[in-house]
Amino acid sequence: MLPKKEIGQDFLNLFYHDIIDLDLENQNKLNLFILKIANNRFAYDELINELYDNIITFSLSRHELDSFKNSQGGKKFIAARDKFRDYTSNEGEFGEVLLYCFLESHLDAPKILTKLEIKTSNNDYVKGADGVHLLRLNDADFQLVFGESKLDSDLKSGIYDAFRSIAEFLDDKKNKVRFESNLINSQLVKESVESSTYEFLKKIIIPSANEDEYNIDKSFGIFLGFDIEIDDKIKNLSNAEFRRYLRDTTKKSVISSVESIKKQIDKKKLWGYTFYLYVVPFTELKEIRKNIIEKLTT
């Protein structure tokens, strides 16, 4: 029995899905999601309203959530909010939240743990993947999906940084994968799950070579947020023209980056791993990510 997913269709309804499971070869997939547009602006307020609930299940482990089951929702929100770094120096946690939401709602891969939930204070820096999810391919084959999120004004720079981080994560000399596996195992013990569910998850995540019941492989969920520049002339288009321009321009920009993704996989010799890429454009990304975290946490 897999852990319960917390993020559903309501989150995906906030976006236009303009590239759907683009095949990048070797089962790698790319999806472009564009936040709804109204009055020539992205619907950031609607996204923030949705994320108020989502940061609770993102930030808190199931054990922590269970401890709040008899409490009002406000206490859970405060506990979740307090794990975020101060918005003035928060460079990446917005991307981590969105990646968590996409992996649960679109990829159908429930969370095992997130980096944020194992922090003991908001100033902690936790190394390793941004989160770990479990994807069921069939009754016997599963993938541990390690999260990597990058927010960069330039899409191709974000692609480069993401695959550089993944290559470092997989470097045997740094033992990051072994550290992450031990962390997953230790966190499972703390989860509020029935003993049968725990044994099932443990068999999947830490399989024995002597048993052919389950196969587990590593894969990566990548979130890439980037800037789409809009000048005053474009802002003055009619609403319909603006939507069409922004969606078409963004799609062309993402399609033009596909070769960069394939090149990084080849250059870093990352064959045999599966990559699930989620790309989302923003306007004035540097300020927007700070403003959204501020509204969510203050």
Side-chain angles (χ1 to χ4, degrees):
M1 182 185 214
L2 291 181
K4 177 188 172 187
K5 288 194 317 167
E6 301 292 345
I7 311 300
Q9 187 64 39
D10 285 351
F11 174 75
L12 294 178
N13 288 342
L14 292 171
F15 298 86
Y16 309 110
H17 196 176
D18 281 356
I19 297 179
I20 301 174
D21 287 334
L22 178 65
D23 189 353
L24 302 179
E25 301 172 359
N26 302 320
Q27 299 181 318
N28 302 319
K29 303 291 183 185
L30 182 147
N31 284 272
L32 168 63
F33 285 89
I34 298 177
L35 190 60
K36 283 198 309 185
I37 300 165
N39 302 106
N40 295 11
R41 295 171 177 82
F42 285 131
Y44 289 125
D45 287 344
E46 289 186 47
L47 177 62
I48 291 168
N49 288 338
E50 182 69 21
L51 292 181
Y52 277 124
D53 286 334
N54 296 356
I55 66 168
I56 294 174
T57 52
F58 167 74
S59 303
L60 304 180
S61 70
R62 290 179 180 82
H63 177 74
E64 290 174 300
L65 287 169
D66 192 54
S67 70
F68 284 110
K69 65 183 179 182
N70 295 321
S71 302
Q72 297 296 319
K75 291 184 178 180
K76 288 189 289 187
F77 176 78
I78 291 170
R81 178 198 68 185
D82 288 349
K83 293 201 174 189
F84 282 81
R85 295 180 68 86
D86 186 89
Y87 73 91
T88 58
S89 60
N90 197 321
E91 293 290 313
E93 288 175 346
F94 175 50
E96 294 172 25
V97 174
L98 292 179
L99 176 58
Y100 156 74
C101 292
F102 281 118
L103 291 179
E104 285 224 344
S105 61
H106 180 263
L107 191 60
D108 202 24
K111 177 188 85 167
I112 297 297
L113 65 87
T114 61
K115 186 165 64 177
L116 210 70
E117 73 184 46
I118 58 177
K119 289 170 63 171
T120 55
S121 80
N122 67 348
N123 289 320
D124 280 356
Y125 178 75
V126 181
K127 296 180 180 179
D130 293 336
V132 184
H133 292 243
L134 184 61
L135 177 62
R136 175 180 177 172
L137 302 177
N138 54 53
D139 288 344
D141 297 311
F142 295 80
Q143 289 179 349
L144 273 181
V145 186
F146 294 93
E148 182 65 42
S149 64
K150 294 296 178 185
L151 299 171
D152 195 301
S153 60
D154 180 70
L155 177 57
K156 290 184 179 178
S157 294
I159 290 168
Y160 174 82
D161 287 342
F163 282 99
R164 178 181 52 78
S165 295
I166 289 169
E168 288 180 359
F169 177 78
L170 292 170
D171 186 344
D172 289 338
K173 295 177 183 177
K174 297 183 179 179
N175 294 323
K176 290 185 178 180
V177 174
R178 188 179 305 121
F179 169 80
E180 203 79 18
S181 297
N182 291 336
L183 182 62
I184 293 166
N185 192 28
S186 66
Q187 289 298 114
L188 273 182
V189 176
K190 300 176 185 177
E191 290 287 358
S192 294
V193 295
E194 297 176 359
S195 58
S196 59
T197 303
Y198 169 74
E199 291 301 327
F200 173 70
L201 290 174
K202 190 172 181 181
K203 274 187 178 182
I204 292 171
I205 294 170
I206 312 169
S208 167
N210 297 320
E211 299 175 7
D212 293 328
E213 192 173 358
Y214 301 115
N215 303 303
I216 186 78
D217 292 293
K218 299 177 186 68
S219 63
F220 291 89
I222 302 173
F223 177 82
L224 298 168
F226 74 104
D227 251 327
I228 190 83
E229 293 188 11
I230 304 172
D231 61 29
D232 289 342
K233 182 179 178 181
I234 301 302
K235 290 176 183 176
N236 283 316
L237 292 174
S238 70
N239 297 151
E241 289 174 324
F242 181 89
R243 266 189 286 271
R244 186 164 52 251
Y245 169 84
L246 193 143
R247 293 175 68 177
D248 289 347
T249 302
T250 302
K251 188 172 181 178
K252 289 175 184 175
S253 178
V254 172
I255 292 294
S256 72
S257 72
V258 166
E259 288 306 313
S260 295
I261 296 168
K262 293 179 180 178
K263 184 178 179 181
Q264 287 302 313
I265 293 172
D266 288 339
K267 185 178 179 181
K268 303 288 193 300
K269 300 180 181 179
L270 296 173
W271 316 296
Y273 296 96
T274 305
F275 299 94
Y276 305 99
L277 291 98
Y278 292 91
V279 185
V280 176
F282 296 90
T283 51
E284 301 176 345
L285 174 60
K286 188 174 181 179
E287 292 303 315
I288 284 296
R289 68 182 180 187
K290 194 174 288 186
N291 291 343
I292 290 178
I293 291 295
E294 179 183 10
K295 289 179 180 179
L296 288 174
T297 60
T298 58

